[in-house]
Amino acid sequence: MSLKDHILTEKLPNHLAIIMDGNGRWAKQKGMLRVIGHENGTKSVREVVEASAEIGIKHLTLYAFSTENWKRPKIEVQTLMKLLVKSLKKEIKTLQDNNIRLMAIGNLMDLPKKAHQELMEVIDKTKNNTHMTLTLALSYGSREEIIKVIKELTDKVKNNIISIENIDESIINNHLYTQNLPDVDLLIRTSGEQRISNFLLWQIAYAELYFTDILWPDFKKKDLYDALINYQNRERRFGKTSEQLS
Ligand code: IPE
Ligand code: IPE
Ligand code: MG
């Protein structure tokens, strides 16, 4: 029996999110430039996207570029944006072949024009795909997202579109970038860092967290299966007692 056969399809996370970290260190360990790490990271993206679709995960969200990542050296930021355009052009076929819908969250207007255009094109071309949604977090920061929600809601209150009493979890959910996505069930972070780095703070309120030392360019199908099996062996109680669940 292979590792994959140990995964129970009825217990898959509905929404899997991944903080893809460690490209720079991967390259450094090999005496190579950080950009080579990012290039190899895109191979892991393809592998994980394909594996997730194959297993039957409905929603996969990948942290590709944070609001804080703009502070990196200009040359690295430029390279990452070029790599994004290149990957979108190259992977549209993978998305279509696997019936995957591409979406994006974040302050997308901050992306360079070319990257923004290419992204919108792929989002549009794949909009009718139904097997899985792949959401790229680009120029994404959870605090920025929450500020956006507060601004939109206060504006609606001010203009009598909603009343303060109406504000509840579902209204907040509907104003987040992730409005069409369910809560995150499993959050994976690679590279050994055990932090959230401003990713989906609201949406991971009850997510299971999984940290692995594997650097993102080394993260392959087998590592995803390991994470899923680990997840499936946990008891998600959502505040209840263990006895209440059985
Ligand atoms: C993740 O790898 C990719 C991005 C954040 C864009 P890093 O570039 O953060 O790699 P490390 O953490 O420096 O090794
Ligand atoms: C988080 O990784 C952002 C992405 C993976 C896109 P970072 O490498 O930017 O996070 P920190 O700075 O180590 O927290
Ligand atoms: Mg990093």
Side-chain angles (χ1 to χ4, degrees):
M1 213 160 129
S2 75
L3 193 57
K4 195 179 157 204
D5 298 327
H6 288 274
I7 299 168
L8 308 169
T9 39
E10 66 278 13
K11 269 185 86 178
L12 283 174
N14 187 27
H15 186 179
L16 167 65
I18 308 181
I19 302 175
M20 312 181 288
D21 197 16
N23 293 351
R25 278 164 283 168
W26 184 90
K28 195 173 175 187
Q29 279 177 6
K30 294 180 157 47
M32 297 187 291
L33 295 171
R34 292 179 61 84
V35 45
I36 308 289
H38 295 312
E39 274 172 12
N40 280 275
T42 63
K43 294 182 191 162
S44 297
V45 172
R46 167 190 267 205
E47 183 134 346
V48 165
V49 168
E50 280 180 347
S52 300
E54 200 181 293
I55 298 170
I57 287 172
K58 292 313 289 179
H59 307 281
L60 172 65
T61 299
L62 302 176
Y63 204 6
F65 194 88
S66 73
T67 45
E68 288 72 28
N69 288 148
W70 292 112
K71 296 178 205 156
R72 291 193 178 192
K74 203 171 159 193
I75 181 78
E76 179 163 346
V77 172
Q78 282 173 345
T79 309
L80 282 165
M81 293 301 147
K82 276 191 197 150
L83 210 54
L84 171 65
V85 175
K86 196 173 146 193
S87 304
L88 286 166
K89 281 192 201 295
K90 196 170 153 205
E91 300 304 337
I92 173 94
K93 192 174 175 327
T94 313
L95 297 178
Q96 300 294 35
D97 289 351
N98 291 283
N99 191 14
I100 299 168
R101 177 181 181 180
L102 185 76
M103 304 203 293
I105 53 172
N107 203 347
L108 305 179
M109 294 319 263
D110 280 357
L111 296 174
K113 208 167 153 210
K114 207 157 169 220
H116 187 264
Q117 271 174 357
E118 195 63 39
L119 183 66
M120 291 305 142
E121 212 177 299
V122 179
I123 288 175
D124 189 59
K125 280 184 180 155
T126 60
K127 67 174 187 281
N128 296 320
N129 291 351
T130 54
H131 182 63
M132 181 177 91
T133 65
L134 166 63
T135 303
L136 296 181
L138 289 163
S139 190
Y140 175 87
S142 200
R143 288 188 170 178
E144 190 268 335
E145 178 181 40
I146 290 168
I147 291 168
K148 175 188 95 76
V149 173
I150 293 171
K151 283 183 177 165
E152 285 175 10
L153 289 180
T154 46
D155 196 58
K156 285 186 179 173
V157 170
K158 202 171 81 186
N159 292 302
N160 295 315
I161 297 167
I162 55 164
S163 68
I164 290 179
E165 292 68 40
N166 290 143
I167 297 177
D168 59 8
E169 285 193 18
S170 85
I171 286 201
I172 292 178
N173 279 328
N174 290 336
H175 286 79
L176 291 163
Y177 289 127
T178 51
Q179 55 183 266
N180 300 312
L181 293 169
D183 278 353
V184 175
D185 297 300
L186 172 62
L187 174 70
I188 298 175
R189 182 171 187 148
T190 59
S191 90
E193 306 299 352
Q194 302 196 0
R195 56 176 170 262
I196 304 300
S197 302
N198 204 10
F199 191 42
L200 303 175
L201 298 179
W202 169 277
Q203 298 88 337
I204 60 164
Y206 251 111
E208 296 297 324
L209 309 180
Y210 181 86
F211 299 103
T212 167
D213 287 339
I214 298 166
L215 302 172
W216 180 248
D218 287 330
F219 193 88
K220 300 296 164 196
K221 288 188 182 181
K222 176 204 162 292
D223 305 302
L224 176 68
Y225 302 153
D226 279 339
L228 292 172
I229 290 165
N230 181 291
Y231 166 84
Q232 296 192 331
N233 284 315
R234 298 185 189 190
E235 182 176 63
R236 301 186 75 196
R237 291 191 286 279
F238 298 97
K240 295 181 182 174
T241 67
S242 197
E243 291 69 29
Q244 282 178 296
L245 297 172
S246 52

